[in-house]
Amino acid sequence: MKKIVLTGANGNLGQELRAMLAGLCDELLSTDIADGVGELLPNESFVQADLAEMDQVRPLLEGADMVVHFGALVDELEFSKVWGPNFMGSFNIWESARQLGVKRVVYASSIHAMGMYPKTVAIDTVMPQRPDTYYGLAKCFTEDLGRMYWEKEGIESVHLRIYSATSKPGNVRALGSWLSFDDLRQLVQRSVETPFVGFTIAYGVSNNDRSPVDNSAASFLGYRPKDNAEDYAEEVFAKEPAADLSDIAQTCHGGPFASATLGVSPMAQMAIPDKED
């Protein structure tokens, strides 16, 4: 490919993707609301931009083949604060793609689009959305946006419902939900390189024995995760108390986001070694 645009390039996951994406194209344009991403790769450029502003987003996509859209406010906050980066940001990406002829968007969705399902329910890619927060609602909005732009405008998209993307699983929940960085890179690469994807939803989860999701409908992507959170199970169980089954943070797929008050950040409750998408 000639050009890939990566949004959220300074984020925890964006930084993990830069080198892999640079190897797939002649030009990687990285962008973030932050003022830089550190040392640039040989074929990488950086433009600081606010995703909520169309006049800053549209020029980024000129000449692009694909967008890997990982830019967002990654937390639960008041709706007015989530609106700009997470709702308007997605609209600006897809509408710019329509105007400029970009063929595909690979989007960092989240388990929080399905977070209110109880863990006793195995979730797949065709069940109705069930968001747990305004943050999760923005993921549902963008999935629906992507479906509409595919059906109306022919813009392909892959929506990756990322669960717990960290360097290693940090709690009992993550024994099922962990996504290693190596598997994250594989998943994004397959989403970029698969010849035809139409509108696709796939879960971002590693090859965990306790995985709570069914990814079979997206198997055509060729994503075959290699890492398994079970390798860390003994360590995790040794440091975490028994689950409180009266706490929906422990009984719903969304974890602390499921029990959070709308508009109030639950991130401080999450015992994870790195930020989760």
Side-chain angles (χ1 to χ4, degrees), residues 179-228:
L179 174 64
S180 72
F181 291 145
D182 282 345
D183 286 337
L184 167 70
R185 284 186 283 270
Q186 183 203 153
L187 178 58
V188 173
Q189 182 170 351
R190 298 306 305 129
S191 299
V192 169
E193 292 186 330
T194 298
F196 175 78
V197 299
F199 169 82
T200 297
I201 291 172
Y203 285 98
V205 175
S206 284
N207 187 34
N208 306 322
D209 290 353
R210 304 169 197 253
S211 174
V213 300
D214 177 3
N215 241 352
S216 58
S219 62
F220 71 92
L221 291 175
Y223 172 56
R224 303 293 183 264
K226 300 181 183 302
D227 293 317
N228 190 337

Side-chain angles (χ1 to χ4, degrees), residues 54 57-58 61 88-102 105 145 148-149 153 155:
M54 175 65 88
V57 172
R58 190 180 187 280
L61 273 61
M88 282 304 302
S90 289
F91 171 77
N92 289 340
I93 288 291
W94 260 268
E95 178 57 18
S96 296
R98 182 192 69 81
Q99 293 178 17
L100 296 168
V102 178
V105 181
L145 184 79
M148 182 183 72
Y149 270 85
E153 302 292 342
I155 299 172

Side-chain angles (χ1 to χ4, degrees), residues 47-155:
V47 177
Q48 185 177 19
D50 183 348
L51 292 173
E53 301 297 331
M54 175 65 88
D55 62 352
Q56 296 182 38
V57 172
R58 190 180 187 280
L60 303 173
L61 273 61
E62 292 180 355
D65 298 293
M66 291 191 188
V67 181
V68 177
H69 180 31
F70 272 59
L73 190 158
V74 186
D75 200 357
E76 171 67 358
L77 294 175
E78 296 174 8
F79 185 83
S80 60
K81 295 181 179 178
V82 176
W83 170 256
N86 294 21
F87 287 85
M88 282 304 302
S90 289
F91 171 77
N92 289 340
I93 288 291
W94 260 268
E95 178 57 18
S96 296
R98 182 192 69 81
Q99 293 178 17
L100 296 168
V102 178
K103 65 180 182 179
R104 185 180 303 175
V105 181
V106 178
Y107 173 62
S109 189
S110 171
I111 188 58
H112 299 299
M114 305 289 281
M116 293 310 297
Y117 278 102
K119 288 185 177 178
T120 52
V121 176
I123 51 178
D124 60 27
T125 59
V126 297
M127 295 165 65
Q129 299 157 331
R130 203 162 163 180
D132 52 26
T133 46
Y134 297 140
Y135 174 73
L137 184 65
K139 302 301 186 181
C140 295
F141 166 80
T142 304
E143 291 180 2
D144 288 344
L145 184 79
R147 185 189 297 273
M148 182 183 72
Y149 270 85
W150 162 243
E151 294 178 345
K152 299 286 287 188
E153 302 292 342
I155 299 172

